[in-house]
Amino acid sequence: MAGILQGQEREPAAAAPRPRVGLVLSGGGARGIAHVGVLQVLEELRIPVDYIAGTSMGSIVGGLYAYGLSPAQLRELTVRDHEARSWNDLLRDGALRAERPMRRKQEDRAYLTSLRFGLRSGELTTAKGFLVGQNLETELAWLTREAHRLPSFDQLPIPFRCTAVDMSDGSLVVLDHGNLAEAMRASMSLPMFFAPAHIGGREYLDGGLADNVPIDVARAMGAEELIVIDIGTPVPKGVPVDGWLGVSRRMVDILGQQNIDLSLATLSPKDVLVQPDLGTITSASFDRAEESIAIGAAAARAAIPQLQRFSVSEAEYQRFLAKQRRVAAAMPELTRVVTRDSAGQEDARVAARTTHKPGQVLDGERLRADLESVHDEDVYQRVGFSVVPDGDGKAELDVIAEPKEQGGDYVRFGLGLETNFEQRTQFSLGVEHTARDLNSLAAELRTTVRLGSDNYLASEWYQPLDAGGWFFVAPRASVASRSPNLKYSGTDFVERVVESEVGLDVGAALGNWGELRVGYERVWGSVDLKLGNLQLVGEDFVDAVLRLRFEADTMDHPSLPSRGSYGLFSLRHGSESLGSDSHYERADLLAAQAFSVGSVVFMPILRLSATLSGSQAGIDLPTEGGFLNLSGLPRNSDPGENLGVFVLSARQRLNATHLLIDVPLYLGASAEFGGVTADYRDLFAKGQFGGSVFLAADTPLGSVFFGTGLAEGEGASLFLFLGQIL
């Protein structure tokens, strides 16, 4: 027996149990895309991960990996070279301007300033961040649609945690259950850039403010040894900071670095720290995602000697991947579609724009379009969704709309200025108040006040006739006093025109691109004429018309578009039978199209105004002069019954890297031809040439144009223009 025992092979000693490995991914905005490169190398080395803790961008990369996406899929999602939506699309709330409702585009054209304030209980309020995060959260929710209601994030293929800061008391919160997309979005609520995230009645800020490298969170999950990836932005020494945005970024960098240093001091010799050298890549460098991934991978490969001890056999790693990788599931059939506000009440407006119905299969593109349509009505701050499994490949779709914190009403300010630095200067300061949701069909009351060279007070009640807002009625009234300094004849000028107007329109919203109105309006007015230098003569008039008005707008910017078209056509019929002093028909057309050839944006503009018969009551004749209307002539240089002007403008964006201002800047020029005529059949038969050379800047106060205007036989003149060119 002893011989037999001596001849037997000894059983191999049992392998020491593998330490439970925690992966810690820090925050850092776009720099956090480097985490994807590290994950690529960990998979090359066959290193399984037992727990993941992340902050900010680290929470997104870590959360998606924990959910079951591969490094290759994460690379596609972060580089986005094959994705339908770019980072510019994700880092925006709602649709592009061209896709927004026509009513909201009309506000852009009335007031160009981007500064808008909410009105709640009589006080002006502002948004809590530059972005709500609507599009980003929609993307995250779609990517993680099977993890919208988890009792614990331990149920993910890899247990996951992320950090956020409770805005009410500044405490650090570890998010460990619920909606995975909401948790990731809350963890990256960078102050001032993203508005705080709302979860369960609480508001959350970026977790990086308190714990940018959540080492302690990973240890609390049960991790025995850590792989820590720190991509925080070191505070640059001796580098000056410009502007409030620069100061805000520096503040976040300082706070983040302080808690990073404290966290890293807790690492033990068993832990591995990887710190990719991202150089000039900043937290906003989403366009350098491919470069960030490569740097992350290089840093992980440099740490291979320390990382190799975490490697496992091919068989064991395949078992890990079988658990970690999420198998793509078929889209569920919807058993129920619930549309409600954040208080849990059914919302008819949300329902009217939600095209999914029970029995249909969930469709991502349709769902995104529905959410954008609801959000862009500008009633809600955020529109989210959740998919609730019902079993057997079916699910319930919940669409939840969160009202604006600033209140339903808002105030917008505007500034207008045009001067040729000589005899003609026009200035206006305005405010527009829009009261929203005034009844169950979301009526609006918009009131506008402008003071300056011209004074104007107008109010319109906009009453939709159906929940979808496709048809409406709009009664309106206005009072205006303007000083056009309009040449009347010889040395006679129109000094002032005072008008009171009432009207009623019936109309239809033509999708998100146009609006059609028909209606009646009546104007009572008086015209003061200055006859030479002798006296003022007042003339009263009444103008009553039937009006047809069609407006279309698909431009991506109201004044400096790179693509899209704009058209405004109106036909007016005045007659004594309607109460007018005179009988006439008049047609007006303004049309423009923006397109790019390489980096140059071209925009042809056509202005036509024709009195087809009779003569209009009052003084409301088309005039030549002003920027892009024979730019070398002062505004209101010459009135006429008919006007025809064709303009071709071109502009090129300048490289403003070394300039002190942080706004888009353009160099442009225009060629122009046309003028006024006595007979509409002579439009463009006679005319004069003009043009301009200008600098343009897109500022928070609106688009500003400064340059020199040229007109045939008139020489050149300087101009400064702030306002609406169309």
Side-chain angles (χ1 to χ4, degrees):
M1 178 71 69
I4 295 175
L5 290 175
Q6 289 176 351
Q8 288 180 339
E9 293 185 2
R10 188 182 299 273
E11 287 289 330
R18 181 178 66 82
R20 291 172 293 180
V21 177
L23 179 64
V24 179
L25 305 179
S26 77
R31 292 166 63 91
I33 297 174
H35 293 316
V36 177
V38 176
L39 287 173
Q40 290 176 340
V41 175
L42 295 185
E43 294 218 337
E44 292 171 9
L45 296 174
R46 300 194 308 273
I47 298 176
V49 174
D50 299 289
Y51 308 100
I52 299 177
T55 294
S56 197
M57 182 58 83
S59 76
I60 291 180
V61 175
L64 293 177
Y65 188 65
Y67 177 75
L69 301 190
S70 69
Q73 290 173 305
L74 292 173
R75 184 256 168 214
E76 292 292 322
L77 291 172
T78 52
V79 175
R80 307 202 71 78
D81 49 0
H82 299 299
E83 296 293 324
R85 290 166 179 80
S86 68
W87 276 111
N88 286 338
D89 295 325
L90 297 183
L91 298 176
R92 186 183 63 239
D93 287 332
L96 290 167
R97 180 186 184 275
E99 300 164 356
R100 290 178 178 169
M102 191 66 187
R103 184 103 176 131
R104 307 285 78 88
K105 295 177 190 174
Q106 290 169 338
E107 292 174 347
D108 288 343
R109 296 201 170 278
Y111 281 86
L112 293 179
T113 175
S114 59
L115 303 176
R116 197 175 77 170
F117 300 87
L119 189 64
R120 184 177 59 208
S121 302
E123 296 184 0
L124 294 179
T125 61
T126 60
K128 293 181 179 179
F130 179 70
L131 287 176
V132 172
Q134 170 70 30
N135 293 2
L136 179 61
E137 189 168 333
T138 298
E139 181 80 357
L140 294 175
W142 180 254
L143 291 171
T144 59
R145 55 189 175 274
E146 296 177 56
H148 287 177
R149 295 191 182 179
L150 294 179
S152 171
F153 291 160
D154 288 344
Q155 295 179 342
L156 293 168
I158 302 175
F160 172 73
R161 302 287 187 271
C162 61
T163 62
V165 171
D166 190 326
M167 199 170 78
S168 65
D169 59 11
S171 62
L172 180 71
V173 177
V174 178
L175 301 173
D176 59 2
H177 70 281
N179 188 311
L180 178 60
E182 290 183 354
M184 293 188 292
R185 161 65 181 87
S187 184
M188 66 166 299
S189 299
L190 187 65
M192 299 188 71
F193 188 76
F194 281 110
H198 289 242
I199 300 178
R202 300 169 73 182
E203 290 185 303
Y204 294 102
L205 295 173
D206 194 298
L209 297 175
D211 193 358
N212 202 40
V213 187
I215 291 171
D216 52 341
V217 175
R219 293 198 197 282
M221 295 174 72
E224 297 170 315
E225 299 183 20
L226 303 178
I227 300 172
V228 178
I229 318 302
D230 170 27
I231 48 82
T233 305
V235 180
K237 298 180 180 179
V239 178
V241 176
D242 295 322
W244 67 270
L245 188 57
V247 172
S248 301
R249 289 174 179 169
R250 180 63 58 85
M251 175 193 70
V252 172
D253 291 345
I254 292 172
L255 291 174
Q257 192 59 49
Q258 288 176 345
N259 70 63
I260 287 173
D261 293 341
L262 291 173
S263 295
L264 296 183
T266 67
L267 291 176
S268 74
K270 296 185 298 182
D271 303 321
V272 178
L273 173 64
V274 179
Q275 292 179 302
D277 184 2
L278 291 159
T280 60
I281 295 177
T282 71
S283 59
S285 300
F286 291 95
D287 57 333
R288 299 175 67 180
E290 189 81 79
E291 185 180 350
S292 298
I293 292 173
I295 293 173
R301 289 194 175 95
I304 284 177
Q306 293 79 40
L307 292 170
Q308 275 182 325
R309 62 188 175 85
F310 298 118
S311 296
V312 298
S313 68
E314 180 66 29
E316 185 174 353
Y317 195 68
Q318 288 303 317
R319 289 193 292 272
F320 164 76
L321 289 182
K323 175 186 175 184
Q324 186 270 331
R325 293 290 197 267
R326 182 169 295 270
V327 178
M331 289 295 110
E333 177 186 329
L334 299 179
T335 57
R336 188 175 178 219
V337 178
V338 179
T339 55
R340 55 189 172 87
D341 60 25
S342 57
Q345 302 299 314
E346 182 73 16
D347 195 306
R349 286 170 302 184
V350 179
R353 287 170 172 77
T354 302
T355 59
H356 278 95
K357 305 300 177 188
Q360 296 178 342
V361 174
L362 182 64
D363 182 278
E365 289 305 311
R366 280 179 57 200
L367 180 59
R368 285 183 175 93
D370 291 348
L371 298 181
E372 286 183 350
S373 177
V374 176
H375 179 269
D376 291 338
E377 283 297 308
D378 208 26
V379 176
Y380 305 102
Q381 175 168 293
R382 167 189 169 272
V383 185
F385 76 97
S386 62
V387 179
V388 185
D390 267 357
D392 297 326
K394 298 183 179 181
E396 173 186 308
L397 173 64
D398 289 356
V399 179
I400 308 100
E402 181 181 296
K404 284 183 174 291
E405 288 185 333
Q406 304 100 294
D409 297 4
Y410 56 82
V411 175
R412 196 168 184 176
F413 296 93
L415 179 66
L417 174 65
E418 183 172 12
T419 180
N420 63 357
F421 300 99
E422 294 178 1
Q423 73 275 25
R424 298 288 178 90
T425 297
Q426 288 193 312
F427 170 82
S428 68
L429 179 64
V431 59
E432 183 176 85
H433 171 247
T434 302
R436 307 288 301 274
D437 284 342
L438 298 178
N439 56 33
S440 61
L441 291 176
E444 296 181 10
L445 178 63
R446 181 186 294 168
T447 302
T448 304
V449 179
R450 284 200 296 267
L451 301 174
S453 304
D454 299 334
N455 299 315
Y456 179 71
L457 171 63
S459 192
E460 178 186 73
W461 180 277
Y462 184 88
Q463 177 62 66
L465 299 177
D466 59 289
W470 311 121
F471 300 98
F472 63 88
V473 295
R476 65 186 193 279
S478 66
V479 178
S481 174
R482 50 194 174 95
S483 302
N485 287 322
L486 182 65
K487 185 186 293 184
Y488 184 69
S489 65
T491 59
D492 302 340
F493 281 83
V494 176
E495 281 275 298
R496 180 162 292 277
V497 179
V498 178
E499 295 175 330
S500 299
E501 175 190 329
V502 295
L504 174 66
D505 289 336
V506 178
L510 306 176
N512 56 12
W513 58 269
E515 180 185 86
L516 178 66
R517 294 186 179 215
V518 293
Y520 172 82
E521 69 179 37
R522 187 179 182 94
V523 180
W524 297 267
S526 64
V527 180
D528 289 339
L529 301 177
K530 183 178 182 181
L531 305 180
N533 295 316
L534 298 179
Q535 58 182 329
L536 293 175
V537 178
E539 294 185 2
D540 296 333
F541 67 89
V542 177
D543 190 18
V545 302
L546 294 176
R547 184 185 74 158
L548 180 147
R549 186 179 188 273
F550 168 73
E551 186 178 14
D553 188 350
T554 63
M555 286 185 164
D556 58 359
H557 191 283
S559 273
L560 291 167
S562 59
R563 61 181 179 274
S565 58
Y566 179 76
L568 177 62
F569 173 76
S570 69
L571 183 64
R572 299 167 62 87
H573 169 77
S575 70
E576 291 86 348
S577 62
L578 294 172
S580 179
D581 289 345
S582 59
H583 176 91
Y584 70 95
E585 281 87 27
R586 176 171 153 187
D588 295 277
L589 173 67
L590 171 61
Q593 174 71 47
F595 61 93
S596 299
V597 178
S599 61
V600 179
V601 177
F602 293 91
M603 186 166 66
I605 303 171
L606 178 63
R607 304 176 191 272
L608 293 175
S609 185
T611 302
L612 305 178
S613 67
S615 180
Q616 182 175 351
I619 300 293
D620 192 19
L621 299 176
T623 62
E624 60 187 15
F627 183 46
L628 298 184
N629 188 31
L630 297 179
S631 300
L633 301 176
R635 183 172 294 277
N636 298 329
S637 289
D638 198 7
E641 293 283 344
N642 308 282
L643 170 74
V645 174
F646 177 76
V647 177
L648 178 61
S649 69
R651 72 175 194 274
Q652 166 77 55
R653 183 164 180 172
L654 300 177
N655 184 352
T657 303
H658 302 294
L659 300 178
L660 294 179
I661 58 175
D662 187 22
V663 297
L665 191 66
Y666 304 87
L667 176 64
S670 67
E672 307 163 23
F673 176 78
V676 296
T677 65
D679 191 323
Y680 72 88
R681 289 164 292 192
D682 293 332
L683 286 174
F684 297 108
K686 300 177 182 179
Q688 64 185 122
F689 289 94
S692 66
V693 178
F694 58 86
L695 287 172
D698 190 14
T699 77
L701 295 178
S703 299
V704 181
F705 301 84
F706 172 75
T708 180
L710 309 170
E712 187 179 2
E714 299 289 338
S717 63
L718 292 176
F719 66 82
L720 176 64
F721 181 82
L722 170 61
Q724 184 55 262
I725 64 174
L726 295 176

